[in-house]
Amino acid sequence: MSSRVSAAESASVAPSVNESIESRVYSVAKVARDENDHHSVTILVSELPKRSLRDECKYRGWSTRFRELPPVHVTTVAALQETIDGIKLSPKRTILNIVASNEVSEISFHVPSHFERLKVLRCASKRDKGRLLIDGASTYHNVRLDKWEAHRHKNHTLILGFQRGVRIKLAGITPNTPWARIVRAREDFTSSEQDDLLSQFEKLSQNSEWEEIKGTVAAIMTLVVGTYKSVTGMKTELGGIDVKYAFGLSAAELGMAGAKITSVATAAGPAIVLGVVAAAAVYFIPWDVVFDYLKTGLSWLWDKICKLWERFKCWVQNLFTEAATENSHDYMHKPMAFMP
């Protein structure tokens, strides 16, 4: 995976009217320092000035507690794996904290089994609407993060800063994987469901605003999945969808549909423990992956919906591409109009 900070996001590193680089450095470094303790190793991932971050991350004072604490490792997105690989493992420190500042948009990593607990946190205010995407191919304890919930973990715990926008990004839905097994066969659709499905796709060809489209896509996904519980946590966003549970793993199959969120307090705000079934929409699926998934699941209907879906796909892609280019929130509410 190519991890990078987009031009629009990189611009956010520049001082703003309300927050200077100095204040951001202070806030991010404070979270890293506060999260660091005698039992952990802390890595701070940021595109902010390294020297300033390192200076601010230094512990000041002469107490024994501060002298015993290991330093915070300051690194960049590109050098994150190198930093992880360079950590000197200690039986006393079995927690790894990966703390990212809010201009970092995506990361990828492989964390060894030595660490019994992995925390991935994002430094951001409650009002911040951004997110930190973790490549689903990233591994912890030799398990891919997009398959973490398919296993039970006795000695390893994965904690994500969900409320501050940390998500696991699904890069693809391939055949013979848990994420693909929920596609319903043609014979599983009743005649009324087939009519409903066509009706929902026809709605996509009408002039609509984004808020209306979100509901239509959710309805289509519900029909394709075939079990409402699998998509109750789905949240449609401009760049893709957030989904609850493991999407491809049905709650009924695991027998844990009533699983509750296990919340953990951190210096970067509340986080959640990702277990066999997460009770929060921790998975992010980009639109292009959603398109491919639906095309596969509805191949038997594709000749009837192809043109409608392709037009909708182009509209969505243009929508979030131009919205990012223009950096305008108002663009999200422009109506969709298809050319005949």
Side-chain angles (χ1 to χ4, degrees):
M1 185 203 72
S2 175
S3 298
R4 70 181 190 277
V5 179
S6 67
E9 287 160 337
S10 296
S12 67
V13 179
S16 65
V17 174
N18 298 320
E19 189 176 23
S20 65
I21 285 183
E22 289 76 11
S23 64
R24 292 183 62 196
V25 166
Y26 172 81
S27 299
V28 171
K30 184 178 187 304
V31 170
R33 289 200 315 268
D34 290 348
E35 200 61 36
N36 204 29
D37 61 25
H38 299 283
H39 307 291
S40 67
V41 174
T42 300
I43 298 176
L44 175 55
V45 186
S46 179
E47 302 301 324
L48 292 167
K50 267 189 177 182
R51 180 177 296 179
S52 299
L53 285 171
R54 288 193 176 114
D55 288 344
E56 200 62 52
C57 282
K58 291 178 181 178
Y59 291 95
R60 296 173 174 81
W62 295 96
S63 72
T64 303
R65 174 182 178 276
F66 286 156
R67 289 202 303 270
E68 288 181 352
L69 285 176
V72 173
H73 301 267
V74 178
T75 191
T76 61
V77 173
L80 174 56
Q81 190 59 49
E82 182 181 354
T83 303
I84 294 173
D85 295 340
I87 294 173
K88 185 177 181 180
L89 304 181
S90 167
K92 295 181 179 180
R93 298 188 174 95
T94 58
I95 300 172
L96 177 61
N97 304 314
I98 297 179
V99 181
S101 53
N102 67 349
E103 80 282 352
V104 175
S105 61
E106 191 168 340
I107 59 174
S108 176
F109 53 74
H110 301 285
V111 173
S113 300
H114 166 81
F115 294 102
E116 297 173 0
R117 180 178 296 184
L118 170 63
K119 285 190 280 187
V120 183
L121 308 174
R122 180 173 181 266
C123 298
S125 68
K126 293 180 180 180
R127 299 184 301 275
D128 188 299
K129 300 300 181 182
R131 62 181 60 204
L132 171 66
L133 299 180
I134 307 171
D135 181 6
S138 297
T139 62
Y140 169 41
H141 182 46
N142 297 316
V143 177
R144 286 175 58 116
L145 264 60
D146 57 9
K147 296 182 179 179
W148 186 261
E149 291 183 297
H151 305 269
R152 296 187 183 275
H153 309 277
K154 293 182 179 179
N155 302 313
H156 294 83
T157 303
L158 175 60
I159 299 173
L160 304 179
F162 174 77
Q163 291 194 14
R164 295 296 186 269
V166 180
R167 301 289 187 273
I168 297 173
K169 178 183 177 182
L170 188 65
I173 300 175
T174 57
N176 303 317
T177 64
W179 291 83
R181 284 200 289 265
I182 58 169
V183 177
R184 299 173 70 192
R186 177 177 181 175
E187 55 269 22
D188 292 336
F189 285 84
T190 65
S191 58
S192 62
E193 285 178 325
Q194 292 184 38
D195 292 340
D196 189 10
L197 197 56
L198 284 171
S199 174
Q200 295 298 336
F201 272 100
E202 286 173 0
K203 288 182 180 179
L204 296 181
S205 66
Q206 301 168 4
N207 292 339
S208 302
E209 292 191 354
W210 178 245
E211 291 302 317
E212 298 172 3
I213 286 297
K214 290 199 296 185
T216 303
V217 174
I220 291 173
M221 294 295 288
T222 299
L223 286 166
V224 174
V225 170
T227 169
Y228 185 67
K229 288 181 180 179
S230 296
V231 292
T232 50
M234 189 178 77
K235 184 179 180 182
T236 313
E237 300 289 349
L238 200 59
I241 59 175
D242 289 340
V243 293
K244 196 173 181 179
Y245 302 125
F247 199 64
L249 300 172
S250 71
E253 177 184 339
L254 295 172
M256 296 186 66
K260 296 181 179 180
I261 295 176
T262 300
S263 183
V264 176
T266 76
I272 63 169
V273 176
L274 191 63
V276 176
V277 178
V282 297
Y283 295 93
F284 175 78
I285 307 181
W287 275 116
D288 56 349
V289 177
V290 176
F291 298 147
D292 291 341
Y293 167 77
L294 286 175
K295 184 174 181 179
T296 301
L298 298 174
S299 58
W300 53 274
L301 190 64
W302 201 245
D303 59 332
K304 296 181 180 179
I305 64 175
C306 179
K307 291 184 178 179
L308 295 176
W309 182 250
E310 288 300 320
R311 289 174 181 176
F312 170 66
K313 183 169 95 169
C314 290
W315 176 77
V316 172
Q317 289 175 332
N318 289 335
L319 178 67
F320 63 75
T321 298
E322 293 183 29
T325 302
E326 297 178 8
N327 194 25
S328 170
H329 296 293
D330 292 334
Y331 187 85
M332 294 173 58
H333 301 289
K334 290 184 179 180
M336 171 174 65
F338 291 128
M339 296 299 292

